[in-house]
Amino acid sequence: MVRITIDGQLAQVPAGTTIMEAAKAVNVKIPHLCYLKGINEISACRICCVEIEGERAMVAACSNPVKDGMVVYTNSPRARMTRRTNVELILSQHDCKCATCVRSGNCQLQEVANDLGILELPFETQLQKGLRSAWTKTFPLYRDVNKCIKCMRCIQICDKVQTLNIWDLAGTGSRTTVDVSGNRVIKDSDCALCGQCITHCPTGGLRERDDTAKARAALADKEKITVVQVAPAVRTAWGEYFGLKREEATMERMAGALHRLGFDYVYDTNFAADLTIMEEGNEFLHRLKSGALVRWPMFTSCCPGWVRFLKGQYPELTNQLSTAKSPQQMFGAVAKTWLAKKLDVAPEKICCVSIMPCVAKKAEADLPTMRAESGADVDIVLTTRELVRMMRADHLDPHFIEEEALDSPMGTHTGAGVIFGATGGVMEAALRTAAYVLTGENPNPDAFSEVRTGPGLREATYTVAGIPVRCAVVSGLGNARKLIERLKEGKVQYDFVEVMACPGGCVGGGGQPISAEDEELYGVRGERLYTLDAENPMRFAHENPEVQELYHEYLGEPLGETAHHLLHTDHKAWNMPMQK
């Protein structure tokens, strides 16, 4: 152990610990902007510089290890002056119009500048103009070059965690900036739209395309019937901004808020998750029994970030994706057919809005394969952050909003649908119903819980009705790449593989609220979903009475002609930008 003194406090930490982590151990906060433990420790922003007794130069706390007997001053006049100057230099190349920034109030640069009492800038402001600041406003991911502080977090997250290398440094000297790698424009890149670069950006340099104005226009249109669906992962995070406890941020309270916003009908995507299980689970059994999974497994297809990754990186494996649409798209397809008949309205009059924890869902809804004669299955996709912004704009405080029941039909769901939002949930829910289809009896609902927790790549083999089913669960695209490479090398064999683009699954999605403290919250959010599953009296997708009603009245049977036409898609019918 190494003994050091930080701001007069004695600390004992293991050798090799950085000054930053040692300070944290004694509850001393050292401001920083670029630092992400284990991912970005490059001392780019120099905000974490501290004074070391006996050292002439200031030292970056994030990348320098402690030494025995070291005496550190994190807030000495010299440290404070250095930090202030470095922040002022960053602000001189930053668009400081905080009032029009989506990260205002949740921006690490804003917080550091406010804490230092910076009220004016001593340096000339230098902002990019013209083509240098141009960015397409139609792509689901938006970058504002004048809010980028060159911390390089996006580069490291994309390279080290997601292995897509979308971002890179461009230019030299004072003109150095972050841009799309390979001299490409973003719409022509193989970006998976996972959004992890957004959630790890300390400023408003990266954000999702803002579709709240489209939603407002639909709500104001008296000729439109607005139908909104909410994904399972959204309920775990939407209350974070408002300070709601997770058990208080219920779906019913959100339904009350959505009705207050003006939506005509509020539904739960969990209904469509149960429907997805009926189709995808039966599809898996069909492929397994037919011998189609001898060499390659069937991959889940409910995560559009993963689908984009596979089509961009391993297009030869596209046929291994389940043909089932995602719950978002199944809901939209059913809303504009079965629900439209129930409501006795023309499908064209329905505007289907999704609230998702995901940025890639915006691109998924725009695919040409996700349309019918009446138009797109889903018209508008909002992230969890966009929902929060709309609520704030209408001064809706959920603490004072009464819970309201979801609308029916399509408002009932099972615990199996809830866990779709956490890594391993799709696999577990599918196996529950697959076991029922094979045996005619429900298994223990927790029989497949082994896939719930563990590393980013988890493996398990289950025997279902005497049939061994080799499973793998992956979250994070870097882990997905490792799995596929092992499959290609013949080192492993699986029958069924669930992949989620974001670490932890949808609960850690790129459209979720951003922690100002760089906390990774997908773990606690995922636990909330499994608690909701355990509390639900129905834990099997095939028990959902409204799903059964849908099949009885409209679809016929899983994988039947109507179900295939409405709920399945051709993944080869569209291309990633680089595909010919």
Side-chain angles (χ1 to χ4, degrees), residues 96-328:
C96 295
K97 296 177 181 176
C98 298
T100 56
C101 179
V102 295
R103 292 293 298 275
S104 183
N106 185 30
C107 170
Q108 294 179 35
L109 175 60
Q110 186 184 50
E111 181 183 357
V112 172
N114 288 344
D115 289 348
L116 289 168
I118 297 175
L119 302 179
E120 56 185 40
L121 297 180
F123 304 111
E124 180 183 350
T125 301
Q126 299 175 335
L127 298 179
Q128 299 284 0
K129 298 179 180 178
L131 288 177
R132 289 181 178 272
S133 64
W135 192 268
T136 175
K137 293 186 177 180
T138 57
F139 197 70
L141 185 152
Y142 184 83
R143 179 174 181 268
D144 189 334
V145 65
N146 286 319
K147 288 191 171 75
C148 174
I149 60 171
K150 308 174 186 64
C151 67
M152 292 183 275
R153 284 190 183 191
C154 56
I155 295 176
Q156 302 281 37
I157 284 287
C158 197
D159 290 4
K160 293 181 178 179
V161 178
Q162 303 296 65
T163 67
L164 274 170
N165 310 104
I166 298 299
W167 306 106
D168 202 356
L169 288 176
T172 58
S174 62
R175 291 183 290 274
T176 300
T177 189
V178 175
D179 206 345
V180 183
S181 60
N183 199 31
R184 301 174 293 176
V185 295
I186 190 66
K187 66 182 181 64
D188 294 333
S189 75
D190 51 347
C191 175
L193 285 169
C194 67
Q196 290 302 301
C197 57
I198 298 176
T199 57
H200 290 85
C201 178
T203 69
L206 290 164
R207 62 172 173 83
E208 72 273 34
R209 182 186 70 210
D210 184 13
D211 289 321
T212 58
K214 288 183 182 178
R216 294 283 189 192
L219 291 170
D221 188 344
K222 295 182 179 180
E223 296 298 315
K224 289 289 185 182
I225 297 172
T226 51
V227 171
V228 62
Q229 59 167 316
V230 182
V234 174
R235 76 205 61 205
T236 69
W238 74 283
E240 290 171 2
Y241 174 84
F242 301 101
L244 283 179
K245 295 178 181 179
R246 296 195 190 279
E247 57 270 20
E248 294 175 333
T250 62
M251 184 60 217
E252 290 74 20
R253 195 179 303 278
M254 199 191 316
L258 290 166
H259 280 134
R260 293 272 291 274
L261 282 171
F263 287 99
D264 295 312
Y265 296 94
V266 179
Y267 296 109
D268 200 324
T269 309
N270 285 344
F271 167 87
D274 285 335
L275 185 59
T276 301
I277 287 302
M278 297 297 291
E279 293 298 319
E280 191 170 72
N282 280 281
E283 180 187 6
F284 167 67
L285 291 177
H286 175 75
R287 291 197 191 193
L288 183 67
K289 291 178 179 178
S290 69
L293 304 179
V294 174
R295 175 66 181 92
W296 297 101
M298 186 182 90
F299 294 113
T300 59
S301 59
C302 53
C303 172
W306 149 244
V307 172
R308 288 177 63 88
F309 174 85
L310 186 76
K311 284 180 63 67
Q313 305 296 307
Y314 302 97
E316 69 276 14
L317 297 180
T318 301
N319 282 339
Q320 299 310 124
L321 287 166
S322 164
T323 62
K325 291 181 179 179
S326 71
Q328 168 182 270

